[in-house]
């Protein structure tokens, strides 16, 4: 699965949460804390989505917002996980 | 900390020959058992929820319950021809409570065994045991608070909310905005202490340490210079959720340490935990107080760990019996537009001033 595909899927997911409008203009390195209030429910759903969509496992302890707060970082994290499978 | 018996949070009733005498599909004239209403009302008063698992035609059974005037006692009644264990599991899912807090009552041995085999944590009772039910320890909560007595009502409001939530098309944030939520954080008053104890004992999922305290211990912390004991309430357009959270901060050593942070699982999908943590961070930061938090990992509190991580708490030190986390205020989120927050937790200097001037 290439990075563009991963990116598109994540963007679609974010759109469901924050509304498509904001996500459309979201750049790869924009912190999506700017999109709206990020709560733990969102974080939980993001983990669940990533795990089922890309067949990887993410430990709660790994979920530090520093690896998850931009599109770029999420794609990196998933990419790395997939290559370790 | 003593390990007490698990208290029952929900009783699931069978209908035929358990709640009433007779079998509805064979005889429309079933009669309610003489003692049932008293038992049901007392359970309700004790804050124990009630539901139904019955093999019957849904409409017929509901009409009968309505005719007896007891329909409103039951949350998420499961009346269909599928297995009783499926019904029990569905009720557990809807109420979001542990299987070990469920009692299932059925006159048929086979049904009790079927439930037991699928969900072994459930306590099963024969219908003839109902007369002695109220005496059993597990049906006696340690105390009855205002929130206890209103529990069913609050769950019914939750049901309405859930229906609206499930039908909601659009971003989750817009849904939250539609609720018009008001959070209030207040120093615990005497009248809150029983509820604090109740929450510490009943909450497993959204609980950071699992610490429990006696009334005397809470009383000592409540008016002390060493701790801040706060209780959180939530209301929205559907009514009140009651008191749904506890924040206990140890203020010794010139720092704030979150000793305990608890949210009722009923507000899990409201994002309240993150909002409260950001508020605490904000106040600590403005008071020039370093902020730490204790955490004890259990099999059930993964969501709380995530909430701490997301709020920027990082592992600082692993102690023998807990993890100490630290927050460097690297990212404090501002209050979302969709809630109104009223808080008695103030900046430290204000606190000092208040003490000086009483």
């Amino acid at each position: 699965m290439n990075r563009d595909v991963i990116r598109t899927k994540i963007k679609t997911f974010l759109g469901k949460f924050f509304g498509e409008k904001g996500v459309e203009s979201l750049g790869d390195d924009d912190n999506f804390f700017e999109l709206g209030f990020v709560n733990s429910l969102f974080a939980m759903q993001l983990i669940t989505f990533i795990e089922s969509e890309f067949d990887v496992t993410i430990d709660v302890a790994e979920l530090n917002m520093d690896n998850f707060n931009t599109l770029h970082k999420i794609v990196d994290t998933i990419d790395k996980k997939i290559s370790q499978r | 900390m003593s390990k007490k018996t698990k208290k029952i949070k929900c009783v699931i009733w069978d209908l035929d020959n358990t709640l009433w005498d007779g079998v509805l599909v064979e005889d429309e004239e079933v009669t309610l058992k003489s003692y049932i209403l008293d038992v049901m009302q007392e359970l309700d008063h004790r804050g124990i929820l009630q539901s139904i698992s019955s093999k019957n035609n849904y409409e017929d059974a509901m009409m009968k319950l309505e005719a007896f005037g007891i329909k409103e006692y039951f949350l998420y009644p499961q009346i269909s021809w599928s297995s009783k264990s499926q019904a029990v599991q569905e009720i557990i899912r809807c109420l979001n409570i542990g299987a070990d807090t469920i009692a299932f009552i059925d006159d048929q041995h086979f049904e009790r065994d079927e439930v037991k085999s699928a969900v072994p944590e459930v306590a099963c009772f024969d219908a003839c045991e109902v007369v002695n039910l109220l005496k059993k320890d597990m049906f006696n909560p340690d105390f009855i608070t205002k929130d206890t007595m209103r529990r069913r009502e609050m769950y019914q409001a939750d049901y309405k909310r859930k229906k609206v939530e499930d039908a909601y098309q659009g971003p989750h944030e817009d849904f939250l905005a539609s609720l018009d939520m008001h959070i209030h954080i207040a120093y615990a008053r005497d009248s809150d202490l029983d509820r604090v104890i109740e929450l510490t004992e009943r909450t497993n999922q959204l609980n950071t340490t699992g610490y429990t305290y006696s009334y005397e211990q809470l009383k000592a912390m409540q008016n002390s210079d060493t701790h801040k004991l706060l209780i959180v309430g939530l209301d929205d357009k559907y009514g009140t959720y009651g008191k749904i959270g506890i924040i206990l901060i140890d203020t010794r050593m010139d720092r704030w340490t979150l000793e305990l942070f608890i949210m009722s699982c009923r507000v899990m999908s409201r994002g309240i935990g993150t909002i409260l943590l950001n508020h605490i961070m904000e106040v600590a930061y403005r008071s020039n107080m370093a902020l730490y938090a204790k955490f004890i990992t259990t099999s059930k509190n993964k969501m709380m760990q995530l909430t701490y991580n997301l709020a920027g708490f990082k592992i600082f030190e692993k102690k023998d019996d807990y993890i100490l986390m630290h927050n460097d205020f690297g990212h404090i989120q501002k209050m979302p537009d969709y809630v109104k927050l009223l808080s008695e937790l103030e900046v430290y200097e204000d606190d000092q001033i208040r003490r000086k001037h009483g």
Side-chain angles (χ1 to χ4, degrees), chain B residues 333-345:
Chain B
Q333 295 195 69
K334 64 176 195 328
M335 208 47 55
D337 308 335
Y338 53 75
V339 291
K340 301 250 181 322
L341 181 90
L342 277 172
S343 174
E344 290 182 355
L345 181 65

Side-chain angles (χ1 to χ4, degrees), chain B residues 89-328:
Chain B
Q89 282 162 323
E90 179 62 14
I91 293 164
I92 290 172
R93 195 185 64 77
C94 291
L95 292 174
N96 195 9
I97 55 180
D100 54 359
T101 61
I102 301 276
F104 171 72
I105 304 174
D106 199 304
D107 64 304
Q108 293 193 42
H109 210 285
F110 159 80
E111 298 290 12
R112 297 197 301 272
D113 283 352
E114 194 270 327
V115 168
K116 256 295 181 244
S117 71
V119 202
E121 301 90 344
V122 172
C124 296
F125 297 92
D126 191 336
C128 64
E129 295 177 85
V130 170
V131 277
N132 298 315
L133 215 54
L134 296 171
K135 294 194 201 106
K136 292 184 195 293
D137 188 35
M138 65 171 85
F139 293 91
N140 281 284
D142 293 324
F143 26 64
I144 291 173
T145 66
K146 230 183 0 214
D147 280 4
T148 312
M149 291 192 271
R150 284 191 313 194
R151 186 164 292 133
R152 170 167 58 97
E153 204 182 305
M154 294 196 279
Y155 268 89
Q156 277 159 336
D158 284 348
Y159 175 71
K160 279 197 206 112
R161 290 183 187 107
K162 206 173 153 24
K163 267 189 33 189
V164 175
E165 187 172 6
D166 288 345
Y168 199 89
Q169 303 285 336
H172 188 67
E173 203 163 284
D174 294 357
F175 168 71
L176 291 177
S178 74
L179 291 175
D180 187 24
M181 290 190 286
H182 288 67
I183 304 172
H184 29 98
I185 303 172
Y187 284 97
R189 315 291 194 258
D190 284 0
S191 57
D192 294 320
L193 296 186
D194 277 347
R195 176 62 181 156
V196 171
I197 295 174
E198 185 176 42
L199 272 169
T200 55
E201 290 181 355
R202 287 177 63 100
T203 314
N204 303 311
Q205 296 178 75
L206 303 180
N207 187 331
T208 57
T209 52
Y211 291 158
T212 53
Y213 304 90
S214 69
Y215 188 92
E216 291 69 29
Q217 286 171 311
L218 292 173
K219 189 92 190 89
M221 287 189 286
Q222 179 196 18
N223 295 314
S224 71
D225 284 346
T226 56
H227 288 84
K228 291 174 180 293
L229 176 61
L230 298 144
I231 190 155
V232 183
L234 176 68
D235 300 302
D236 70 8
K237 68 174 182 188
Y238 296 99
T240 184
Y241 293 73
K243 300 281 168 61
I244 46 83
I246 300 166
I247 301 163
L248 177 62
I249 304 170
D250 183 336
T251 56
R252 286 172 295 189
M253 303 201 300
D254 271 336
R255 56 161 70 161
W256 282 10
T257 308
L258 274 165
E259 193 77 11
L260 182 70
F261 185 71
I262 286 183
M263 290 291 110
S264 158
C265 57
R266 291 176 35 238
V267 298
M268 196 181 261
S269 62
R270 298 286 176 266
I272 305 292
T274 307
I275 290 171
L276 292 173
L277 284 179
N278 276 279
H279 171 67
I280 296 164
M281 284 150 64
E282 175 76 31
V283 180
Y285 174 70
R286 286 195 286 120
S287 310
N288 287 320
M289 280 286 166
L291 181 62
Y292 292 83
K294 287 186 181 178
F295 196 87
I296 296 173
T297 312
T298 68
S299 60
K300 289 182 175 165
N301 68 358
K302 195 171 170 174
M303 188 74 182
M304 222 34 164
Q305 193 178 357
L306 187 68
T307 308
Y308 269 6
N309 284 357
L310 176 73
F313 282 92
K314 296 192 176 75
I315 296 178
F316 180 75
E317 195 178 354
K318 287 196 174 165
K319 305 265 190 187
D320 285 347
D321 44 4
Y322 66 87
I323 298 167
L324 188 66
M325 302 180 98
H326 173 249
N327 195 311
D328 64 5

Side-chain angles (χ1 to χ4, degrees), chain A residues 45-78:
Chain A
Q45 289 177 337
L46 178 65
I47 294 187
T48 312
F49 170 77
I50 291 173
E51 287 187 331
S52 66
E53 189 70 33
F54 305 104
D55 191 22
V56 295
T57 314
I58 291 172
D59 191 359
V60 166
E62 290 176 308
L63 192 111
N64 171 324
M65 269 298 128
D66 301 347
N67 326 327
F68 276 90
N69 57 2
T70 69
L71 263 175
H72 196 146
K73 287 180 186 168
I74 296 181
V75 175
D76 271 352
T77 308
I78 296 170

Side-chain angles (χ1 to χ4, degrees), chain A residues 10-27:
Chain A
I10 297 291
K11 259 190 133 161
T12 311
F13 174 82
L14 292 177
K16 273 192 212 133
F17 228 89
F18 297 108
E20 320 246 317
K21 254 205 201 68
V23 175
E24 254 166 50
S25 55
L26 187 76

